[in-house]
Amino acid sequence: MTGTFTTRTVDVTTGSAETMHDLTNACSAFLREVAHGRDGLLNVFTSYATSGLAIIETGAGSDNDLLAALRGILPADDRRRELHGGPGPGDDHMLPALVPPHATLPVVGGELELGTSQSVVLVTADRGGAAGRVRLSFLG
């Protein structure tokens, strides 16, 4: 049996502070539409240069703890400079090295296979405010 591949993008407005945007419902809705009860893989990818994707418990404090840890590692100050010499968002652009811009997740019976408290979240460090695009791709 040959697998099928379906992909689409989801636009996300991230705001003007580092944040997490829960993508779990968008992922589940996409799978309901395209997986048709099949097993497979969901790949989630962001091409936004100052974002990454995490699988994390949200709402119980872990999301705030992750943002605080990232602020400690990548403080918002002027210690990093763009190549043209001016202050730049260098810390924001290093986020994907710590929180990868992709995640591949199992799909079983057409549904996302996550732990009880896990969510798929877009993590962004961009303090300038922006919109990001996330690509969802199902192979099953």
Side-chain angles (χ1 to χ4, degrees):
M1 179 176 163
T2 303
T4 60
F5 178 80
T6 307
T7 188
R8 93 169 32 123
T9 59
V10 176
D11 291 323
V12 178
T13 301
T14 59
S16 61
E18 69 273 354
T19 188
M20 291 190 185
H21 181 84
D22 195 329
L23 297 169
T24 310
N25 289 337
C27 292
S28 294
F30 173 68
L31 290 172
R32 278 192 301 276
E33 189 176 326
V34 303
H36 307 292
R38 294 188 313 260
D39 294 348
L41 295 172
L42 174 69
N43 181 266
V44 186
F45 173 76
T46 178
S47 59
Y48 189 52
T50 59
S51 293
L53 292 154
I55 311 303
I56 191 169
E57 180 180 15
T58 58
S62 298
D63 40 357
N64 292 329
D65 290 343
L66 177 58
L67 290 174
L70 290 170
R71 277 191 301 274
I73 296 168
L74 303 171
D77 57 26
D78 290 333
R79 73 179 74 188
R80 294 171 189 87
R81 305 190 69 73
E82 294 287 342
L83 289 177
H84 58 70
D91 55 335
D92 296 348
H93 287 268
M94 292 188 326
L95 177 77
L98 302 172
V99 181
H102 58 86
T104 300
L105 305 162
V107 176
V108 178
E111 295 185 14
L112 197 54
E113 185 82 1
L114 290 174
T116 303
S117 299
Q118 290 180 320
S119 296
V120 180
V121 295
L122 176 71
V123 181
T124 182
D126 193 340
R127 293 161 191 92
R133 177 164 284 169
V134 176
R135 178 164 297 281
L136 306 176
S137 302
F138 174 70
L139 178 63

